[in-house]
């Protein structure tokens, strides 16, 4: 069977399916559970400086099996309490990325140092937190700020740093380029897509916070477009996330340029057992399509095997 | 899928609990819970105390939202998601139901369903004081035996319901014990049942947000209460160092004496 | 039954369901067909200066009943040929908005003048065309350019001008504000969401153009969030579009702040007969919820009837 | 939903047409078409010339893409969407099939299905020259009568297939006429059938993009060929000033003599 090992820079995973941040990542035993189920690795819940309860409920709106809107509000036990959770998973050998979020470069680098001490293999910077200067925009929408934070974190720690990109911007590749220039080791794309749910009977927004983030199959095309456009511009590896529920979906991300993928919402729709099925399914798919390994698929859709024939008769170019 | 239901009936059960009934054709089994959203306020997990088409939740005043929910008038719309979680296995022929305070809410529909299916059901219902005993009128008609205890001795046994449960477990034989209440209480019930080897099923509460087994808010050891529970076998729970000792708050921080 | 008349500034429609641009809008008889089916009005296909064949096929990827990705590439017969199509619909009394797209303010205003002569009731500016200065970005992502084009068009014509907003930007409300400041009479939100489809078996993007625009139910939360955020900022009316397939969906947009709605992809999923069903369904829904008219619903979710009770006990604000 | 199928067989039918067969379990009815994507090139509408599990399209070389499609080797994967559009009504007991050139492709599976259902099927098949007559060997075994015409007289009637159709319509009685070919030809067939009142069903082509009744590329009067067609009754078509006179190109511009 095709080799499923997935390499993201210097990090290597037994398969390309990682648990996405914010899902099953608050408790150490859940991180361990995802690994035992079969995940290639896991990203922790995004951890901040202080314990945060997150937004009040409702924090979730479901759409069939194709979408989910959430506004959890970055609940987390804070960087002082969280290392005991990491320890549970790390001692069992789970390859972990520590996700952190903060208000500015200084807070990010302090968190990075603390997170690095827990023994995680790398860091993921969640830049979807609100911009300190207000206006409700996200830090990750500003390339200069992304560069500044990435740089500060890279100065502070030796670990590989993945920068997680928001799709809620005119040009995600521009943000990715800023992260790369500042020393990021990989780009994770994408976080959730800005959305809102209204209850027509109650005449009000459903989520306590108002707006939220859309995830699940509905955003797969959005995530693929981001990965595609980022892959055209950056040289560092990309980790694809957004709407993956099947080995096929994952392969689409790999072909678009991702070296590994993350899975969030599908855990709600399919259960954690999904991580047990996906590697085998991907292996069969790669065998059928003649790819000897995951690495051989990465970015392949940018240079398809069957070249386009000359076609001067096309209506438009 | 979320839906909006109007509260059809509001029944004051005890000084601190109120049952709210609403019509919702979704199929539910005793033991399951819903997420109930009080528009303009929070959304809370509540076990179904009635599982038929006219469903019900029996709410105890804890903080602001449960207080607000408890006070809402018939006709008011609420948001409902669910039912979520697993149910009680109704096959045991002789069941002992041990309810602590408002914990009886989730046990009542299970007891009714088991009784309707031909099982013998006995009850040990406890509360702090006599008027807080929940559902004794509802359950007495189907009880093989119904015993009550109060912390202040104002009704029935003066003491803990676990003591009544122990007596019943010693004097009678059961195929299963169903219990819901404070975790220390459920732990004692489980210990009392151990000599006879009677399996004990506990309905457990943890902080809940998504109810979809995703957000990890309700993590309990390797389990998620929203999808793996809320009904667990006592052995699963007793194996967890945290059971009866600590839980996680909304931030995921461990809180409680043993945290 | 509730009054269904929908007012967008000085324009009035028999019901709030308008045909969205690019769907059934290339031929005059199709515009007329949408009206006969029951639409409150119709927006034409986006028309440019010259005939354009659009991108080659494949131009479409379908996702179940919840999404559609397209890269038609703005095919249109050009402003010289198109007036004969408009005439067919206009003579039959169809309330029409003429959609135009161009490369810059000058081209937009020339098109506006030509389109105004056809007898349309108003114009809709499609700003999703590629930015003249290249980089693949859309004109509608640049607030300055949006202001400039809107201003030029308003100088050139007397008709109401609706400015159609892209969701592919950090802050759609900022774009809407720029349009309002430049004299726009209404904001149409949203156009499609940037997406990409990869075929894993063929190892290449599906659409001939590569990236495309996602539409259908998948983008309803995205459209609602845009309308919500725009309604918080602008005073001019908003026309909601994105993922509407039912009267409930439409009501969500109205409550979020839209004065009318447009429907595109649902025509593919449900057929044009949809326009015959929706007004009655909306009427029943409004009756049940106690709204005397469509106007009474507009923006109501911003000030819900049941006020939030004081709740100091909430975990976080 | 789109899917990828490998070409299993490639059959050269005439000097300008090739049939490509592929396995696709999707249920299709004679008259329907698929969108077939030649990866790296365009996606084109093609009527199904075989509608069973091993489906087929019979492609005529028109421009680059059809030329490319026509040349692809067995084993090559193509993208398939559909089947789309409506089908021929197979209930008429006596059918006259009038095929012009590659237009016979869509009529062949309909004729086979009608014959299998017990109907009598007669054929008038035309082409520019003898080797271009499509499917005469395939259809002869089921024909009550099969007549051929060529523009150059190299086989059968020397002249137009409409003349042969007129003769058959005059000499025999039919419950329906099915035709596909150039629009002027179909117009003539419809006129020839008018005296007898025999209903005529025409399979029509227009530029196609979405095939979902949305993009308007295939607009034909008040119809969309992809969803309302491709099979229309002749009266519907004859009522349209554009039928046989003009069509829209990829930009939606009207092209043709009568545009
Ligand atoms: C599966 C399940 C079933 C339940 N069934 C019932 C029932 O039938 N009847 C009943 O009265 N209560 C039930 N509860 C408990 C009920 O959800 C809490 O009492 C209620 O949320 C208190 O909310 P509050 O805002 O009034 O209190 P707060 O003042 O906010 O808090 C009081 C207590 O309630 C807990 N709490 C607050 N929010 C939540 C939440 N989202 N999830 C879980 N606990 C929370 C807090 O941790 C705290 O311990 C159930 C809980 C769970 C998990
Ligand atoms: C419902 C339907 C069924 C058809 N069935 C068959 C069939 O069974 N066998 C067959 O050989 N041909 C069939 N065609 C016609 C076939 O699609 C065109 O001949 C083919 O698209 C030519 O493509 P090209 O790129 O080779 O030619 P081009 O050089 O691009 O153009 C040649 C001609 O083909 C037309 N054409 C190009 N693209 C399209 C398109 N997307 N949709 C429609 N026409 C187009 C052009 O308008 C032009 O008239 C059918 C068309 C339709 C609409
Ligand atoms: C409930 C929930 C919580 C999330 N929390 C976080 C988080 O804390 N940090 C983060 O970077 N992303 C968070 N995300 C985003 C996911 O990691 C992921 O980027 C996104 O959901 C898209 O992937 P999916 O479609 O597989 O869910 C969260 C997503 C969900 C659904
Ligand atoms: C096939 C197709 C073609 C479209 N063409 C145009 C267009 O020419 N001009 C435009 O402003 N919007 C165009 N749109 C966008 C729609 O008008 C609408 O904004 C979008 O599809 C979201 O609405 P929906 O979910 O109801 O389709 C097109 C959409 C589709 C699906
Ligand atoms: S409540 Fe979110 S995992 Fe249980
Ligand atoms: S091909 Fe798009 S409407 Fe027919």
């Amino acid at each position: 069977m095709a080799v499923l090992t997935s390499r993201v820079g210097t990090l290597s995973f037994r398969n390309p399916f990682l648990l996405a941040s914010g899902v099953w990542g608050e408790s150490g035993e859940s991180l361990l559970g995802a690994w035992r189920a079969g995940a290639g690795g896991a990203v922790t819940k995004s951890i901040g400086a202080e314990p945060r309860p997150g937004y009040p409920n409702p924090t979730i709106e479901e759409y069939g099996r194709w979408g989910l809107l959430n506004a959890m509000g970055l609940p987390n036990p804070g960087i002082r309490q969280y290392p005991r959770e990491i320890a549970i998973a790390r001692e069992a050998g789970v390859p972990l990325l520590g996700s952190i979020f903060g208000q500015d470069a200084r807070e990010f680098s302090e968190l990075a140092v603390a997170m690095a001490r827990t023994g995680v293999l790398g860091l993921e910077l969640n830049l979807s937190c609100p911009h300190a200067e207000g206006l409700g925009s996200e830090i990750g929408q500003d390339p200069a700020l992304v560069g500044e934070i990435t740089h500060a974190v890279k100065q502070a720690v030796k670990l590989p740093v993945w920068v997680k990109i928001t799709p809620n911007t005119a040009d995600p590749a521009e943000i990715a380029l800023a992260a790369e220039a500042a020393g990021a080791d990989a780009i994770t794309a994408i976080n959730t897509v800005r959305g809102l749910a209204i209850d027509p009977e109650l005449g009000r927004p459903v989520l306590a916070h108002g707006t939220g983030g859309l995830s699940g199959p509905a955003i797969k095309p959005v995530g693929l477009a981001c990965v595609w456009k980022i892959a055209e511009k950056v040289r560092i590896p990309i980790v694809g996330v957004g709407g993956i529920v099947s080995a096929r979906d994952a392969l689409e991300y790999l072909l678009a340029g991702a070296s590994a993928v993350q899975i969030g919402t599908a855990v709600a729709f399919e259960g954690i057992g999904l991580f047990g099925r996906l590697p085998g399914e991907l292996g069969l798919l790669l065998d059928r399509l003649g790819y000897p390994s995951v690495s051989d698929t990465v970015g392949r859709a940018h240079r398809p095997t069957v070249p386009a024939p000359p076609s001067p008769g096309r209506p438009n170019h | 899928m979320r839906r909006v239901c109007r509260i059809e009936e509001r029944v004051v059960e005890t000084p601190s609990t109120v049952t709210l009934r609403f019509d919702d054709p979704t199929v539910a089994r005793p033991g399951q819970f819903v997420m109930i959203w009080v528009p303009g306020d929070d959304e809370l997990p509540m076990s179904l105390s009635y599982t038929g088409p006219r469903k019900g939740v029996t709410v105890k005043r804890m903080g602001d939202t449960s207080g607000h929910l408890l006070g809402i008038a018939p006709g008011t719309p609420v948001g409902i998601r669910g039912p979520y979680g697993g149910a009680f296995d109704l096959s045991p022929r002789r069941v002992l139901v041990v309810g602590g305070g408002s914990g009886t809410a989730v046990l009542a529909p299970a007891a009714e369903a088991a009784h309707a299916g031909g099982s013998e059901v006995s009850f040990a219902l406890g509360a702090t004081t006599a008027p807080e005993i929940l559902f004794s009128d509802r359950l007495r008609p189907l009880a093989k035996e119904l015993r009550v205890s109060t912390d202040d001795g104002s009704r029935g046994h003066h003491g803990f319901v676990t003591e009544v449960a122990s007596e019943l477990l010693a004097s009678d034989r059961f195929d299963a014990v169903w219990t819901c209440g404070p975790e220390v209480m459920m732990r004692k019930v489980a210990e009392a049942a151990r000599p006879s080897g009677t399996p004990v099923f506990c309905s457990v509460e943890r902080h809940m947000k998504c109810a979809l087994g995703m957000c990890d808010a309700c993590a309990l050891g390797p389990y998620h209460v929203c999808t793996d529970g809320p009904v667990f076998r006592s052995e699963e729970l007793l194996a967890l160092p945290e059971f009866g000792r600590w839980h996680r708050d909304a931030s995921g921080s461990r809180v409680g004496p043993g945290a």
Side-chain angles (χ1 to χ4, degrees), chain A, chain B:
Chain A
M1 195 167 84
V3 177
L4 294 183
T5 315
S6 166
R7 253 173 264 283
V8 181
T10 55
L11 301 182
S12 169
F13 303 94
R14 64 182 175 186
N15 68 52
F17 300 99
L18 315 182
L19 180 74
S21 180
V23 173
W24 273 55
E26 198 168 83
S27 93
E29 272 167 297
S30 293
L31 290 168
L32 176 54
W35 168 251
R36 289 218 172 113
V43 185
T44 71
K45 188 148 225 171
S46 293
I47 303 299
E50 299 297 330
R52 249 179 87 96
Y55 300 127
N57 284 338
T59 44
I60 286 279
E61 173 83 341
E62 278 180 87
Y63 303 95
R65 291 240 142 195
W66 54 261
L68 198 105
L69 191 72
N70 91 81
M72 307 309 295
L74 294 165
N76 77 96
I79 192 68
R80 282 184 302 281
Q81 274 227 29
Y82 197 68
R84 68 204 286 186
E85 307 296 341
I86 294 201
I88 295 170
R90 197 177 44 83
E91 279 159 22
V94 186
L96 285 181
L97 278 286
S99 173
I100 53 174
F101 74 93
Q103 288 299 309
D104 51 30
R106 205 174 59 92
E107 202 179 2
F108 263 101
S109 45
E110 284 168 10
L111 285 162
V113 170
M115 184 59 93
R117 277 201 216 104
T118 63
V120 292
L121 299 182
L123 302 181
E124 187 174 89
L125 311 187
N126 177 1
L127 304 174
S128 306
C129 28
H131 197 310
E133 292 165 39
L135 290 169
S137 67
E138 304 165 25
I139 285 179
Q141 292 170 334
D142 178 346
L145 211 47
V146 169
E148 187 192 324
I149 292 168
T150 308
H151 183 76
V153 168
K154 281 301 291 183
Q155 295 291 307
V157 297
K158 292 224 177 57
L159 293 184
V161 173
W162 299 3
V163 175
K164 189 164 177 184
I165 296 285
T166 175
N168 304 315
T169 168
D171 186 2
E174 186 195 2
I175 308 288
L177 274 172
E180 181 181 48
D185 298 279
I187 301 294
T188 303
I190 55 175
N191 214 308
T192 55
V193 177
R194 177 184 51 225
L196 177 92
I198 300 263
D199 187 291
E201 317 259 337
L202 302 173
R204 59 167 71 234
V206 175
L207 303 184
H209 179 60
T211 52
L214 188 64
S215 61
I219 70 164
K220 189 184 68 172
V222 181
L224 284 170
C226 288
V227 168
W228 181 268
K229 293 204 161 274
I230 292 167
E232 280 177 339
K233 295 275 174 70
V234 310
R235 294 165 162 276
I236 53 176
I238 303 169
V239 180
V241 50
I244 298 170
V245 289
S246 68
R248 265 182 89 88
D249 294 333
L251 180 53
E252 288 168 27
Y253 270 96
L254 297 171
L255 294 166
S259 297
V261 299
Q262 297 176 0
I263 294 185
T265 303
V267 170
F269 292 163
E270 308 276 328
I272 202 78
L274 178 80
F275 282 109
R277 295 193 300 272
L278 289 175
E281 282 171 21
L282 181 65
L284 290 175
L285 189 56
L286 295 188
D287 287 349
R288 182 160 68 76
L289 298 174
Y291 293 106
S293 74
V294 161
S295 328
D296 287 292
T297 66
V298 178
R300 275 307 286 277
H302 291 267
R303 25 173 225 289
T305 336
V306 187
S311 56
R314 283 192 185 187
N316 188 26
H317 264 293
Chain B
M1 242 355 66
R2 203 172 42 76
R3 54 214 174 266
V4 171
C5 301
R6 284 177 353 140
I7 299 303
E8 302 290 342
E9 294 172 58
R10 177 178 183 277
V11 183
V12 178
E13 305 285 2
T14 79
S16 74
T17 53
V18 164
T19 296
L20 301 168
R21 306 289 302 266
F22 53 94
D23 292 332
D24 175 22
T26 318
V27 175
R29 290 175 303 141
Q32 292 190 293
F33 70 98
V34 294
M35 295 298 288
I36 182 164
W37 173 33
V38 189
D41 200 338
D42 216 327
E43 182 196 50
L44 299 175
M46 286 286 153
S47 295
L48 289 168
S49 57
Y50 294 90
T51 52
R54 172 152 293 186
K55 298 198 162 41
V57 294
T58 300
V59 185
K60 185 179 170 72
R61 185 191 309 276
M62 294 295 293
D64 288 296
T65 312
S66 50
H68 181 195
L69 180 57
L70 199 133
I72 65 178
T76 308
V78 295
I80 298 286
R81 297 195 283 137
Y84 294 117
F88 285 103
D89 170 10
L90 300 175
S91 63
R93 310 311 300 161
R94 291 163 303 182
V95 181
L96 173 61
V97 170
V98 187
S102 59
T104 305
V106 68
L107 303 171
E112 283 174 345
H115 177 259
S119 297
E120 273 179 17
V121 193
S122 304
F123 295 89
L125 306 182
T128 50
T129 183
E132 286 294 351
I133 297 286
L134 184 65
F135 288 149
S136 60
D137 291 350
R138 175 178 173 190
L139 299 173
R140 183 161 300 109
L142 44 112
K144 182 190 174 207
E145 181 156 14
L146 188 148
R147 298 233 213 131
V148 160
S149 76
T150 51
D151 299 359
D152 65 1
S154 52
R155 184 166 158 207
H157 173 76
H158 185 165
F160 295 129
V161 70
T162 48
E163 293 152 8
V164 180
S166 296
E167 277 174 35
L168 285 165
L169 280 160
S171 64
D172 207 345
R173 285 188 47 206
F174 299 98
D175 302 320
V177 181
W178 297 341
T179 181
C180 182
E183 290 185 11
V184 284
M185 177 203 111
M186 295 196 282
R187 179 181 285 277
K188 287 213 178 109
V189 172
E191 280 157 9
R194 196 170 296 149
S196 61
T198 318
V200 178
F201 298 86
C202 310
S203 174
V204 179
E205 296 181 4
R206 278 297 179 274
H207 198 92
M208 285 198 180
K209 296 183 175 182
C210 72
L212 302 174
M214 174 174 57
C215 75
D216 225 22
C218 69
L220 172 66
Y223 309 114
H224 289 93
V225 174
C226 64
T227 46
D228 299 316
V231 179
F232 291 92
R233 291 184 68 113
S234 58
E235 301 85 68
E236 294 171 318
L237 298 173
L238 294 175
L240 303 176
E242 65 208 84
F243 184 65
R245 295 195 189 88
W246 58 267
H247 63 277
R248 291 174 198 275
D249 66 12
S251 77
S253 301
R254 305 180 182 190
V255 292

